[in-house]
Amino acid sequence: MDVKLTAWHESTTCTWCEKDREAVTIDFADGFLRHTPLCWSCLQKAIKVRNRQPASAPTTPRSSN
Ligand SMILES: [Zn+2]
């Protein structure tokens, strides 16, 4: 997963929690989120949510072969 922080804001409205907070603008290389301002806690959530979604790479750690 490739996430870029493209900007830092001392105070801006977070896209997810809609509160005015210190936030960063993030850009997921795979397009999950583009130029989206998120506060630090929502950024961590976004990364967790993204990690839970099926990856495009066909890795199956529980393969019974
Ligand atoms: Zn937030």
Side-chain angles (χ1 to χ4, degrees):
M1 185 183 58
D2 192 5
V3 185
K4 261 188 222 160
L5 308 183
T6 57
W8 176 81
H9 312 276
E10 193 173 334
S11 180
T12 195
T13 306
C14 169
T15 298
W16 278 19
C17 63
E18 299 183 328
K19 289 173 187 157
D20 269 2
R21 305 182 123 171
E22 181 184 347
V24 286
T25 297
I26 62 158
D27 200 3
F28 279 73
D30 61 5
F32 175 60
L33 294 169
R34 288 266 189 221
H35 307 295
T36 306
L38 292 180
C39 67
W40 291 110
S41 70
C42 289
L43 171 60
Q44 286 170 30
K45 262 187 245 164
I47 290 171
K48 273 187 205 159
V49 167
R50 184 64 194 87
N51 281 341
R52 257 188 249 131
Q53 292 184 357
S56 50
T59 46
T60 50
R62 273 189 273 149
S63 167
S64 55
N65 282 338

